[in-house]
Protein backbone atom coordinates (compact mmCIF):
# COMPACT_ATOMS: atom_id res chain seq x y z
CA UNK A 1 0.00 0.00 0.00
CA UNK A 2 1.33 3.44 -0.95
CA UNK A 3 1.17 6.39 1.45
CA UNK A 4 1.53 10.05 0.56
CA UNK A 5 4.94 11.65 1.20
CA UNK A 6 5.01 14.21 4.00
CA UNK A 7 7.15 17.36 4.02
CA UNK A 8 9.19 17.94 7.18
CA UNK A 9 8.44 21.48 8.25
CA UNK A 10 10.39 22.10 11.46
CA UNK A 11 14.06 21.57 10.58
CA UNK A 12 16.38 23.77 12.66
CA UNK A 13 19.38 25.82 11.49
CA UNK A 14 22.37 26.23 13.83
CA UNK A 15 25.17 28.78 13.33
CA UNK A 16 28.39 27.23 14.66
CA UNK A 17 30.38 30.41 14.03
CA UNK A 18 32.49 31.77 11.15
CA UNK A 19 29.44 31.34 8.89
CA UNK A 20 29.38 27.57 9.45
CA UNK A 21 25.69 26.64 9.26
CA UNK A 22 24.23 23.22 10.07
CA UNK A 23 20.64 22.33 9.17
CA UNK A 24 19.22 19.65 11.52
CA UNK A 25 16.67 17.64 9.52
CA UNK A 26 16.24 14.69 11.93
CA UNK A 27 15.09 14.23 14.60
CA UNK A 28 12.19 16.69 14.60
CA UNK A 29 8.80 16.66 16.30
CA UNK A 30 7.12 15.39 13.13
CA UNK A 31 9.51 12.50 12.51
CA UNK A 32 11.87 10.87 15.00
CA UNK A 33 13.48 8.42 12.57
CA UNK A 34 13.28 7.00 9.04
CA UNK A 35 14.30 3.36 8.95
CA UNK A 36 17.41 3.25 11.18
CA UNK A 37 18.28 6.92 10.48
CA UNK A 38 17.81 8.83 13.75
CA UNK A 39 19.88 11.95 12.97
CA UNK A 40 20.45 13.83 9.70
CA UNK A 41 22.51 17.02 9.39
CA UNK A 42 23.09 19.06 6.23
CA UNK A 43 26.40 20.84 6.95
CA UNK A 44 27.29 24.03 5.10
CA UNK A 45 28.07 25.06 2.51
CA UNK A 46 30.59 27.09 4.49
CA UNK A 47 33.62 28.97 3.21
CA UNK A 48 36.61 28.89 5.54
CA UNK A 49 39.32 31.48 4.85
CA UNK A 50 43.01 30.63 5.12
CA UNK A 51 43.90 29.70 8.69
CA UNK A 52 40.30 28.85 9.64
CA UNK A 53 38.62 25.47 9.79
CA UNK A 54 36.29 23.07 11.55
CA UNK A 55 37.35 21.84 14.99
CA UNK A 56 35.01 19.32 16.59
CA UNK A 57 36.97 18.29 19.69
CA UNK A 58 36.99 14.67 20.94
CA UNK A 59 33.54 13.51 22.06
CA UNK A 60 31.88 10.12 22.70
CA UNK A 61 29.17 8.03 21.02
CA UNK A 62 27.29 4.83 21.88
CA UNK A 63 24.64 2.69 20.17
CA UNK A 64 24.97 4.04 16.64
CA UNK A 65 27.04 4.31 13.49
CA UNK A 66 28.07 7.74 12.21
CA UNK A 67 28.40 8.40 8.49
CA UNK A 68 30.08 11.37 6.78
CA UNK A 69 29.48 12.15 3.09
CA UNK A 70 31.03 15.27 1.55
CA UNK A 71 30.23 17.30 -1.57
CA UNK A 72 33.09 19.79 -1.04
CA UNK A 73 36.07 20.04 1.28
CA UNK A 74 37.87 17.62 3.58
CA UNK A 75 37.61 16.44 7.21
CA UNK A 76 40.23 14.62 9.27
CA UNK A 77 38.82 11.84 11.46
CA UNK A 78 40.65 10.49 14.50
CA UNK A 79 39.21 8.09 17.08
CA UNK A 80 40.04 6.16 20.24
CA UNK A 81 40.78 3.03 18.18
CA UNK A 82 43.76 4.87 16.71
CA UNK A 83 42.09 5.47 13.34
CA UNK A 84 43.28 8.42 11.25
CA UNK A 85 41.56 9.12 7.92
CA UNK A 86 41.02 12.24 5.82
CA UNK A 87 37.72 12.09 3.96
CA UNK A 88 37.13 13.80 0.60
CA UNK A 89 34.04 14.03 -1.65
CA UNK A 90 32.82 10.64 -2.86
CA UNK A 91 34.43 8.71 0.00
CA UNK A 92 32.78 7.15 3.06
CA UNK A 93 33.80 7.31 6.71
CA UNK A 94 31.65 4.81 8.63
CA UNK A 95 32.22 4.61 12.39
CA UNK A 96 30.37 2.01 14.45
CA UNK A 97 30.26 3.25 18.04
CA UNK A 98 28.65 0.19 19.63
CA UNK A 99 29.53 0.04 23.35
CA UNK A 100 31.51 3.29 23.07
CA UNK A 101 34.02 5.27 21.03
CA UNK A 102 35.53 8.77 21.06
CA UNK A 103 36.38 10.74 17.93
CA UNK A 104 37.33 14.19 16.70
CA UNK A 105 36.71 15.91 13.36
CA UNK A 106 38.98 18.72 12.23
CA UNK A 107 40.05 20.45 9.03
CA UNK A 108 43.27 18.81 7.74
CA UNK A 109 46.41 21.01 7.92
CA UNK A 110 46.74 21.59 4.17
CA UNK A 111 43.11 22.69 3.75
CA UNK A 112 43.32 24.83 6.88
CA UNK A 113 46.36 26.63 5.52
CA UNK A 114 44.80 27.34 2.11
CA UNK A 115 41.13 27.70 3.11
CA UNK A 116 38.28 25.58 1.77
CA UNK A 117 34.56 25.27 1.19
CA UNK A 118 32.94 22.57 3.32
CA UNK A 119 29.60 21.04 2.33
CA UNK A 120 28.15 17.65 3.12
CA UNK A 121 25.85 15.35 5.05
CA UNK A 122 26.32 13.65 8.41
CA UNK A 123 23.93 11.00 9.67
CA UNK A 124 23.53 8.67 12.63
CA UNK A 125 22.23 5.16 12.04
CA UNK A 126 20.84 3.44 15.15
CA UNK A 127 22.18 -0.06 15.68
CA UNK A 128 19.66 -2.88 16.24
CA UNK A 129 19.16 -3.60 19.94
CA UNK A 130 21.01 -6.92 19.57
CA UNK A 131 24.08 -5.07 18.21
CA UNK A 132 23.99 -1.94 20.36
CA UNK A 133 26.98 -3.05 22.46
CA UNK A 134 29.21 -4.44 19.68
CA UNK A 135 32.91 -3.64 19.65
CA UNK A 136 33.54 -0.25 18.02
CA UNK A 137 34.93 -0.20 14.47
CA UNK A 138 35.98 2.36 11.88
CA UNK A 139 36.07 1.82 8.10
CA UNK A 140 37.06 4.18 5.28
CA UNK A 141 35.91 3.41 1.73
CA UNK A 142 37.28 5.06 -1.41
CA UNK A 143 34.87 6.20 -4.14
CA UNK A 144 35.96 3.39 -6.50
CA UNK A 145 34.53 0.82 -4.07
CA UNK A 146 30.99 2.24 -4.12
CA UNK A 147 28.40 1.00 -6.66
CA UNK A 148 27.41 3.47 -9.38
CA UNK A 149 23.81 3.46 -10.62
CA UNK A 150 22.95 4.96 -14.00
CA UNK A 151 19.52 5.39 -15.49
CA UNK A 152 18.27 7.87 -18.14
CA UNK A 153 18.95 11.35 -16.72
CA UNK A 154 20.12 9.87 -13.39
CA UNK A 155 23.57 9.24 -11.92
CA UNK A 156 23.67 7.85 -8.38
CA UNK A 157 26.14 6.35 -5.94
CA UNK A 158 25.12 3.80 -3.31
CA UNK A 159 26.81 4.88 -0.09
CA UNK A 160 25.51 2.14 2.21
CA UNK A 161 22.98 -0.68 2.21
CA UNK A 162 21.21 -2.07 -0.84
CA UNK A 163 19.12 -0.56 -3.66
CA UNK A 164 18.47 -1.00 -7.37
CA UNK A 165 20.01 -4.47 -7.31
CA UNK A 166 23.33 -3.19 -5.92
CA UNK A 167 25.01 -3.68 -2.52
CA UNK A 168 27.49 -1.28 -0.92
CA UNK A 169 30.61 -2.80 0.71
CA UNK A 170 29.99 -0.67 3.82
CA UNK A 171 29.20 -2.92 6.80
CA UNK A 172 25.64 -2.33 8.04
CA UNK A 173 23.60 -4.07 10.73
CA UNK A 174 20.02 -3.85 9.37
CA UNK A 175 18.26 -3.45 6.01
CA UNK A 176 18.80 0.13 4.81
CA UNK A 177 19.77 2.33 1.86
CA UNK A 178 21.68 5.60 1.58
CA UNK A 179 22.37 7.18 -1.82
CA UNK A 180 23.35 10.43 -3.50
CA UNK A 181 21.56 10.92 -6.83
CA UNK A 182 21.95 13.62 -9.47
CA UNK A 183 18.94 14.13 -11.71
CA UNK A 184 18.74 16.06 -14.96
CA UNK A 185 15.73 18.37 -15.30
CA UNK A 186 12.67 16.26 -16.13
CA UNK A 187 14.30 12.95 -15.16
CA UNK A 188 12.32 10.42 -13.14
CA UNK A 189 13.57 7.95 -10.55
CA UNK A 190 11.64 5.23 -8.75
CA UNK A 191 12.51 4.84 -5.09
CA UNK A 192 13.64 1.44 -3.76
CA UNK A 193 10.50 -0.59 -3.11
CA UNK A 194 12.15 -3.26 -0.91
CA UNK A 195 12.49 -0.85 2.03
CA UNK A 196 9.46 0.02 4.15
CA UNK A 197 10.46 3.59 5.12
CA UNK A 198 11.95 6.20 2.78
CA UNK A 199 13.24 9.74 2.91
CA UNK A 200 14.27 12.31 0.29
CA UNK A 201 16.45 15.32 1.07
CA UNK A 202 17.00 17.86 -1.71
CA UNK A 203 20.51 19.30 -1.49
CA UNK A 204 20.19 21.42 -4.64
CA UNK A 205 17.40 21.88 -7.16
CA UNK A 206 13.74 20.87 -6.81
CA UNK A 207 11.78 17.65 -7.25
CA UNK A 208 8.22 16.41 -7.23
CA UNK A 209 7.56 13.27 -5.17
CA UNK A 210 4.15 12.17 -6.29
CA UNK A 211 1.96 15.24 -5.73
CA UNK A 212 4.39 16.81 -3.25
CA UNK A 213 6.93 19.47 -4.29
CA UNK A 214 10.23 19.34 -2.38
CA UNK A 215 12.66 22.26 -2.77
CA UNK A 216 16.33 22.83 -1.98
CA UNK A 217 17.31 22.06 1.67
CA UNK A 218 13.91 20.43 2.31
CA UNK A 219 13.17 16.83 3.30
CA UNK A 220 10.14 14.59 2.86
CA UNK A 221 9.40 11.11 4.22
CA UNK A 222 7.08 8.26 3.30
CA UNK A 223 6.30 4.71 4.41
CA UNK A 224 4.43 1.83 2.78
CA UNK A 225 4.84 -1.16 0.53
CA UNK A 226 5.28 1.14 -2.49
CA UNK A 227 6.30 4.74 -3.12
CA UNK A 228 5.68 7.29 -5.87
CA UNK A 229 8.57 8.17 -8.17
CA UNK A 230 10.66 11.32 -8.02
CA UNK A 231 10.60 13.77 -10.92
CA UNK A 232 13.20 16.53 -11.15
CA UNK A 233 11.65 19.96 -11.74
CA UNK A 234 15.19 21.30 -12.28
CA UNK A 235 18.67 19.83 -12.32
CA UNK A 236 18.90 18.41 -8.79
CA UNK A 237 21.12 16.67 -6.27
CA UNK A 238 19.20 14.57 -3.72
CA UNK A 239 19.95 12.20 -0.87
CA UNK A 240 17.77 9.08 -0.68
CA UNK A 241 17.68 7.07 2.54
CA UNK A 242 15.61 4.72 4.68
CA UNK A 243 15.19 1.06 5.51
CA UNK A 244 13.34 -1.31 7.80
CA UNK A 245 11.52 0.22 10.79
CA UNK A 246 13.53 0.41 14.01
CA UNK A 247 13.11 -2.47 16.46
CA UNK A 248 11.79 -0.16 19.16
CA UNK A 249 12.13 3.50 20.07
CA UNK A 250 15.45 5.11 20.91
CA UNK A 251 16.49 7.76 23.40
CA UNK A 252 18.81 10.44 22.03
CA UNK A 253 20.73 12.59 24.47
CA UNK A 254 23.71 14.65 23.28
CA UNK A 255 25.86 12.15 21.31
CA UNK A 256 24.31 9.02 22.82
CA UNK A 257 21.66 6.70 21.34
CA UNK A 258 20.18 3.90 23.45
CA UNK A 259 17.02 1.88 24.02
CA UNK A 260 16.88 2.73 27.73
CA UNK A 261 17.44 5.88 29.75
CA UNK A 262 19.59 3.85 32.14
CA UNK A 263 22.12 3.20 29.35
CA UNK A 264 22.23 6.94 28.62
CA UNK A 265 22.91 7.69 32.29
CA UNK A 266 25.71 5.10 32.32
CA UNK A 267 27.34 6.74 29.27
CA UNK A 268 27.03 10.18 30.86
CA UNK A 269 28.82 8.97 33.99
CA UNK A 270 31.55 7.29 31.95
CA UNK A 271 32.26 10.46 29.98
CA UNK A 272 32.09 12.70 33.05
CA UNK A 273 34.71 10.44 34.68
CA UNK A 274 36.77 10.22 31.43
CA UNK A 275 36.48 6.42 31.20
CA UNK A 276 35.84 6.29 27.43
CA UNK A 277 39.49 6.47 26.37
CA UNK A 278 41.63 9.02 24.56
CA UNK A 279 42.06 9.85 20.86
CA UNK A 280 45.71 9.27 19.85
CA UNK A 281 47.07 12.45 18.29
CA UNK A 282 44.23 14.54 19.81
CA UNK A 283 44.55 13.77 23.52
CA UNK A 284 44.49 17.26 25.05
CA UNK A 285 41.09 18.78 24.23
CA UNK A 286 37.63 17.29 24.68
CA UNK A 287 34.00 18.44 24.77
CA UNK A 288 32.69 18.39 28.35
CA UNK A 289 29.40 16.72 29.22
CA UNK A 290 26.62 19.30 28.73
CA UNK A 291 25.02 20.74 31.86
CA UNK A 292 21.56 19.73 30.64
Amino acid sequence: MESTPTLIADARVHDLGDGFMVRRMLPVLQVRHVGPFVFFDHIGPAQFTAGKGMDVRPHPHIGLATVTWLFDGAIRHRDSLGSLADIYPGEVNWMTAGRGIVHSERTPPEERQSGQQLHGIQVWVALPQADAEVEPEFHHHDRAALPQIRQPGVEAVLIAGSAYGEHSPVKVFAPMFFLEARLAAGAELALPQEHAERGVHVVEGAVSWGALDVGATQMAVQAGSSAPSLRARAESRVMLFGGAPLDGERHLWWNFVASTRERIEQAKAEWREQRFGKVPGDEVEFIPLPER
Side-chain angles (χ1 to χ4, degrees):
M1 182 176 181
E2 181 179 301
S3 65
T4 303
T6 301
L7 193 69
I8 291 180
D10 53 350
R12 303 183 301 277
V13 178
H14 301 275
D15 185 350
L16 303 184
D18 290 326
F20 186 24
M21 308 298 289
V22 174
R23 185 177 298 272
R24 179 70 40 82
M25 310 302 300
L26 291 176
V28 292
L29 291 176
Q30 277 180 287
V31 181
R32 301 297 297 170
H33 39 75
V34 179
F37 291 80
V38 295
F39 178 99
F40 193 114
D41 266 4
H42 183 163
I43 57 176
Q47 183 65 51
F48 291 108
T49 58
K52 299 284 189 178
M54 183 179 82
D55 284 295
V56 180
R57 295 166 292 159
H59 59 281
H61 289 287
I62 64 166
L64 54 84
T66 69
V67 191
T68 302
W69 181 256
L70 295 180
F71 309 124
D72 294 297
I75 296 175
R76 172 161 293 183
H77 166 96
R78 294 182 188 265
D79 63 43
S80 50
L81 301 177
S83 310
L84 169 60
D86 291 345
I87 184 173
Y88 293 91
E91 303 173 352
V92 176
N93 273 6
W94 181 285
M95 185 182 76
T96 300
R99 62 177 178 78
I101 197 169
V102 182
H103 77 135
S104 63
E105 296 171 294
R106 300 183 187 268
T107 299
E110 184 175 335
E111 283 77 15
R112 188 184 298 270
Q113 182 177 4
S114 61
Q116 69 164 349
Q117 177 166 282
L118 186 64
H119 188 201
I121 301 292
Q122 290 190 320
V123 302
W124 294 356
V125 177
L127 298 176
Q129 294 185 37
D131 299 303
E133 299 294 329
V134 298
E135 290 295 313
E137 297 180 341
F138 174 79
H139 299 284
H140 175 90
H141 299 268
D142 291 331
R143 68 174 68 202
L146 303 178
Q148 306 293 314
I149 298 160
R150 290 181 172 83
Q151 299 180 12
V154 178
E155 292 188 359
V157 57
L158 180 59
I159 301 165
S162 60
Y164 306 109
E166 300 285 351
H167 298 270
S168 168
V170 174
K171 180 181 178 180
V172 300
F173 292 82
M176 60 167 287
F177 69 101
F178 188 34
L179 300 100
E180 178 193 335
R182 299 187 185 215
L183 285 69
E188 293 197 12
L189 176 64
L191 268 73
Q193 301 296 317
E194 67 268 32
H195 298 286
E197 298 181 355
R198 310 167 187 92
V200 173
H201 174 58
V202 179
V203 179
E204 301 162 350
V207 303
S208 293
W209 192 9
L212 182 68
D213 289 338
V214 189
T217 74
Q218 292 184 320
M219 177 181 286
V221 300
Q222 184 263 358
S225 58
S226 63
S229 294
L230 290 180
R231 183 179 61 82
R233 295 187 287 125
E235 184 176 342
S236 301
R237 186 205 303 254
V238 300
M239 304 302 297
L240 310 178
F241 64 99
L246 274 178
D247 57 347
E249 283 298 328
R250 297 295 193 274
H251 299 283
L252 274 69
W253 190 90
W254 192 38
N255 301 310
F256 304 138
V257 173
S259 297
T260 66
R261 295 191 185 279
E262 290 75 15
R263 183 65 181 92
I264 298 286
E265 292 302 316
Q266 177 187 341
K268 289 164 66 174
E270 290 174 353
W271 185 244
R272 187 183 298 113
E273 297 161 12
Q274 287 294 290
R275 291 190 279 124
F276 264 87
K278 296 290 186 179
V279 176
D282 203 345
E283 300 97 336
V284 177
E285 295 184 304
F286 65 92
I287 301 178
L289 192 75
E291 292 294 321
R292 61 177 68 184

